[in-house]
Amino acid sequence: MSNGYPEAPDKAVYKNAVVLTLFVVILTTILFYWMFYVPFNWTKHMNDVSYSEVLKSENLSSGAHKRDAINRLRKARKIGSKELPPPFPNGWYGILESSNLKPGGVKYVSCLGEHFVVYRTETNEVFILDAYCPHLGANLGIGGRVVGDSIECPFHQWRFGGTDGKCKHIPYSTSVPQGSKVRKWTSQEFNDFIFVWYHADTTEKPWDLVASVNKMNNDFVFHGRNEFYVNCHIQEIPENGADLAHFGAIHNESIFAGSLTPKTSMLSRFGYHLWAASWSSSKGPDKHIAEVTLSHKLEIFKNLYCFQMDVSGKQIGPSYVNLALYSPTLGHFRILQTITPVEPLMQKVVHRFYGPRWMGPLMKIFIFGESVMFERDMNMWNHKVYRKNPLLVKEDMSLKQFRLWFAQFYENSKSYPEVTNVGW
């Protein structure tokens, strides 16, 4: 109780100490929660990676002029359309992350030269249909409503069943026109992705995606993701795993040296990454699977290594990679990669990271490092031309083997000129 006299010094000090302690406790709790329970998200578009030097020379840093300049650079780049493989290979594609589709949710997804409506019923079933209503062409994925296992058109409320795509109900008509339906796509949900089966031959049966992947550890949790948009042909991204020589060329310098000019950065020697790699493909029923194995060491001083890691990357078809990682120090963790052709030469690449809960702070550092390394590859992909018959040396044999293996996914596929009408 105040008596008009100043507070005793010891009481003021005590009060300040309590306030400071409370502040530190709250801040520590928030930091702890973020490190262990909040997933880390790293998203980069093309204008954020590999075009900055060119834009700097034109004194463009933001806004519409920047986007226009990047689009101009994309069009000006030599494409070599006659050499390009078909842009949409056959296989399973992860077109939507499960967390982006809640029960009763509807999404419109445009990729692979197709237009999909993806929706989840209240009983958690996922269906994928063609997006445009056969009545008057409304987009079922924009304003469509889930009713039971059907999707209802926002324009005239025609309903189409998820199991077969057939029209089930027209509210203002006593009959449903014979043959009124939209295409139903084969799909499955697995490892936090919604996949669609895409094949040039619509009668071709899909391979078993689940059987091709090692089961996720029960104690693994989701730690974060990154997302990139890359200006290249889809084949060039997984081909990187068979390009064994490129690891030493662009991935040796420290992750703290950044992604654009790591060799000239002052931080380039703040840790040195050493790689050993091999690539192989499967035969017989599992011919759609290939595997890259990597051995990584982080050298901080000459012959002094502070971190080692072994990576087994299983490439399943043209677009899905399951990376199992092991470190004697940290144990096991996992990265799942999907590549989705948004356009013939525009790939959306997502990596999702999983591991034990206690690895939260370390996984955030790892997501940062993997993202920087991927951006270094983007600097190449965004500006290179595809060589159908590259000049190779004997040490590039794995590249030749990769292309022979990957060619199986182009059976009956439309060529780049057919898809884009180039020269037509």
Side-chain angles (χ1 to χ4, degrees):
M1 183 173 179
S2 174
N3 55 11
Y5 293 99
E7 239 180 335
D10 56 338
K11 288 186 178 180
V13 171
Y14 175 76
K15 182 184 291 185
N16 291 337
V18 170
V19 171
L20 180 61
T21 301
L22 184 61
F23 175 77
V24 171
V25 168
I26 293 174
L27 186 64
T28 302
T29 302
I30 293 172
L31 182 61
F32 177 88
Y33 184 80
W34 179 82
M35 287 193 301
F36 289 94
Y37 290 92
V38 178
F40 183 35
N41 185 38
W42 178 289
T43 301
K44 290 290 186 75
H45 291 262
M46 285 195 311
N47 58 342
D48 298 318
V49 181
S50 80
Y51 289 102
S52 58
E53 288 299 307
V54 180
L55 295 173
K56 191 185 298 181
S57 68
E58 299 190 22
N59 199 27
L60 296 170
S61 59
S62 63
H65 293 298
K66 180 179 178 181
R67 292 192 297 271
D68 291 342
I70 291 173
N71 286 329
R72 188 181 73 249
L73 289 168
R74 288 182 63 200
K75 292 177 181 178
R77 185 182 71 163
K78 181 180 178 182
I79 293 176
S81 60
K82 292 183 179 179
E83 294 198 16
L84 283 171
F88 306 134
N90 302 316
W92 284 104
Y93 287 90
I95 63 171
L96 190 66
E97 292 168 79
S98 296
S99 57
N100 291 333
L101 192 67
K102 306 300 182 186
V106 180
K107 294 287 184 179
Y108 165 61
V109 179
S110 175
C111 62
L112 295 161
E114 304 288 345
H115 303 271
F116 305 109
V117 55
V118 187
Y119 65 96
R120 188 189 299 278
T121 69
E122 295 294 344
T123 56
N124 217 33
E125 287 185 280
V126 173
F127 296 106
I128 302 179
L129 305 176
D130 271 352
Y132 294 112
C133 180
H135 177 217
L136 286 178
N139 191 323
L140 302 173
I142 308 296
R145 187 170 71 97
V146 177
V147 181
D149 69 348
S150 300
I151 182 74
E152 183 179 88
C153 178
F155 202 3
H156 298 90
Q157 297 182 316
W158 289 34
R159 293 179 189 172
F160 300 90
T163 56
D164 55 14
K166 292 181 179 179
C167 183
K168 291 185 173 183
H169 176 70
I170 301 173
Y172 57 87
S173 177
T174 57
S175 63
V176 174
Q178 188 174 4
S180 57
K181 62 181 298 186
V182 292
R183 180 176 176 180
K184 185 259 190 299
W185 291 81
T186 300
S187 64
Q188 64 176 298
E189 189 171 14
F190 176 65
N191 275 353
D192 296 335
F193 280 101
I194 296 169
F195 292 87
V196 66
W197 172 251
Y198 177 91
H199 203 286
D201 181 356
T202 57
T203 64
E204 185 72 19
K205 292 184 179 180
W207 63 73
D208 191 335
L209 180 62
V210 177
S212 304
V213 181
N214 295 330
K215 187 179 179 181
M216 190 82 74
N217 291 25
N218 292 331
D219 62 337
F220 280 9
V221 297
F222 173 61
H223 284 286
R225 64 190 289 279
N226 58 31
E227 178 182 320
F228 301 94
Y229 287 82
V230 190
N231 182 25
C232 71
H233 188 279
I234 183 175
Q235 179 183 312
E236 297 183 272
I237 296 176
E239 187 171 277
N240 229 38
D243 182 7
L244 308 183
H246 97 281
F247 288 101
I250 66 174
H251 293 303
N252 277 358
E253 281 70 32
S254 167
I255 58 174
F256 299 108
S259 60
L260 190 59
T261 56
K263 291 187 180 299
T264 59
S265 170
M266 294 180 61
L267 299 175
S268 62
R269 297 297 299 178
F270 191 69
Y272 200 72
H273 302 277
L274 302 176
W275 305 88
S278 64
W279 183 91
S280 62
S281 60
S282 302
K283 308 292 183 183
D286 293 331
K287 65 179 182 177
H288 58 277
I289 298 175
E291 188 167 2
V292 59
T293 57
L294 296 171
S295 178
H296 167 269
K297 292 181 179 180
L298 177 60
E299 184 181 66
I300 53 174
F301 297 108
K302 187 66 175 178
N303 296 323
L304 178 60
Y305 308 104
C306 70
F307 179 73
Q308 297 184 34
M309 179 176 65
D310 294 319
V311 183
S312 175
K314 186 176 286 188
Q315 171 86 39
I316 304 157
S319 72
Y320 186 49
V321 180
N322 189 291
L323 294 162
L325 303 95
Y326 172 74
S327 163
T329 307
L330 303 178
H332 294 273
F333 47 110
R334 192 78 65 92
I335 303 175
L336 308 180
Q337 179 197 67
T338 60
I339 310 170
T340 308
V342 179
E343 299 173 7
L345 292 180
M346 173 71 73
Q347 315 303 324
K348 177 182 177 180
V349 183
V350 174
H351 299 93
R352 292 176 63 91
F353 297 77
Y354 299 82
R357 174 73 68 189
W358 68 267
M359 283 181 61
L362 296 171
M363 288 296 287
K364 285 177 169 58
I365 297 173
F366 190 79
I367 293 170
F368 164 77
E370 197 274 345
S371 300
V372 168
M373 290 296 188
F374 191 83
E375 288 178 14
R376 292 181 187 178
D377 290 316
M378 282 183 67
N379 294 334
M380 306 297 118
W381 293 325
N382 280 349
H383 302 284
K384 71 186 294 294
V385 63
Y386 179 85
R387 294 292 190 194
K388 183 177 181 180
N389 297 301
L391 186 61
L392 302 176
V393 296
K394 64 178 182 179
E395 288 80 5
D396 294 323
M397 184 56 65
S398 57
L399 273 171
K400 185 176 181 179
Q401 294 171 341
F402 173 88
R403 291 194 171 190
L404 290 172
W405 171 78
F406 202 88
Q408 67 181 300
F409 306 120
Y410 295 131
E411 184 180 1
N412 298 324
S413 297
K414 290 184 179 180
S415 66
Y416 180 83
E418 287 178 308
V419 169
T420 59
N421 292 327
V422 173
W424 288 39

